[in-house]
Amino acid sequence: MSSPVGFAERYAGSLMNTFGPPKLELVRGEGARVWDADGNEYVDYLAGIAVNALGHAHPALVEAVTAQLQTLGHVSNFFTTGPQLELAEALVEIAGGGARVFFTNSGTEANEAAFKLSRRTGRTHVVATEGGFHGRTMGALALTSKEAYRTPFEPLPGEVTFVPYGDADALAAAVTDRTAAVVLEPIQGEAGVVVPPAGYLAAARRTADETGALLWFDEVQTGMGRTGRWLASEGVRPDVLTLAKGLAGGFPIGACLAFGAAADLLQPGNHGTTFGGNPVACAAGLAVIRTIEQEGLLDRATVLGRRLRDGLGADDRVTEVRGEGLLIGLDLSSEVSAEVVAAALRRGFILNNPTPRRIRLVPPLVLADADVDALLAAWPGILDDAMEGAA
Ligand SMILES: *Cc1c(COP(=O)(O)O)cnc(C)c1O
């Protein structure tokens, strides 16, 4: 132990109890593995919640951040820098061109920027989806459907209508010529990896076109290679696109992209940020993009994701397998997801349970074949432990 007083006690004494007690004190990571303060090793299938795309301590990320910090660390948005310009250009290219970027420090801030941008249409109504998650600040929370997150903080801004996710007709019925924006995730992450029917995003595009509403895809979780493609919405062009989690591989960053005329909605004085777009975060983002390209990680995500879904789904205590690439959701035959996560941790695997019945896997894109083999080998035993423990 690093201190005679345990981490749980120190945490309780010095940090607000917003997340519940921490499960471990982690001290080190390499690739898809992390180590706790007692020297125990874990395969990290959570990756900081779909963030550590390059895993832990990737040399390309360490080098990029170190070199940039040694050169120019922060300058304010009265100035621009090479890394900021380069990352904006790279994101515009990934998004298919014709867009411009506003950088932030997190996913919720990227969504705040998009929400404010939508108000500049002169309209205020927003249509969002049941089960959708867009962040915890007041604006993003207003678009998030979960009652437990919202209710203690009402009144929240905006006139927001929630429609069932994946139902194109319900969406079309809710959107009118008073609607500023339609916001949805191409795959719902926090809901437990919920994939909409084929054609849903294209139908949303048509609805937005018919009413003049902005189509806003929140790809904070699905974007930047997570699904085996740069963007999960590839093929359907939104008016607004938000990114964050995996974008700089663990360095805090977010981005709000707007396409075509929507890119002119925010004008000088309308919005701002002190840290957003700082050169260190942008250098980290560039290192992530280059490494994904150099190491062929989009294809790796596709291949490894298929192996994991097939292997883990083969156990009949898994009733449904969803997702794309390395964004994977598993439904269990009973409400034992907390027991599964605990049993996995005892066996050296960090998993996540977004709902009582659902397990989510969002490992680093640099996950090794051996990391997949290890989980597939341990999986039946993890389920045995969990179901016994729960019985
Ligand atoms: C995590 C997440 C957010 C919020 O991002 P933060 O960086 O935690 O503010 C927003 N939208 C989606 C889809 C997310 O998964």
Side-chain angles (χ1 to χ4, degrees), residues 32-69:
R33 311 243 164 177
V34 291
W35 285 264
D36 70 14
D38 294 326
N40 300 306
E41 180 179 320
Y42 303 87
V43 187
D44 185 5
Y45 272 89
L46 182 56
I49 316 187
V51 166
N52 301 305
L54 305 187
H56 300 276
H58 193 291
L61 189 57
V62 172
E63 157 66 20
V65 167
T66 307
Q68 187 57 45
L69 197 53

Side-chain angles (χ1 to χ4, degrees), residues 106-108 111 133-135 185 190 218 220-221 245:
S106 66
T108 202
N111 285 331
F133 181 82
H134 302 292
E185 297 157 85
E190 296 306 298
D218 179 345
V220 166
Q221 186 156 165
K245 290 194 164 86

Side-chain angles (χ1 to χ4, degrees), residues 2 4 12 48 55 64 66 76 90 123 126 136 160 175 225 239 254 273 319 343 384 390:
S2 53
T66 307
S76 91
R123 304 180 183 184
V126 178
R136 302 293 204 130
V160 184
V175 179
D239 302 296
T273 167
T319 55
D384 289 345

Side-chain angles (χ1 to χ4, degrees), residues 23 336-346 349 351-353 359:
K23 294 172 197 278
V336 292
S337 71
E339 288 81 358
V340 168
V341 166
L345 197 65
R346 288 196 298 273
F349 299 91
L351 308 183
N352 168 252
N353 55 327
I359 295 295

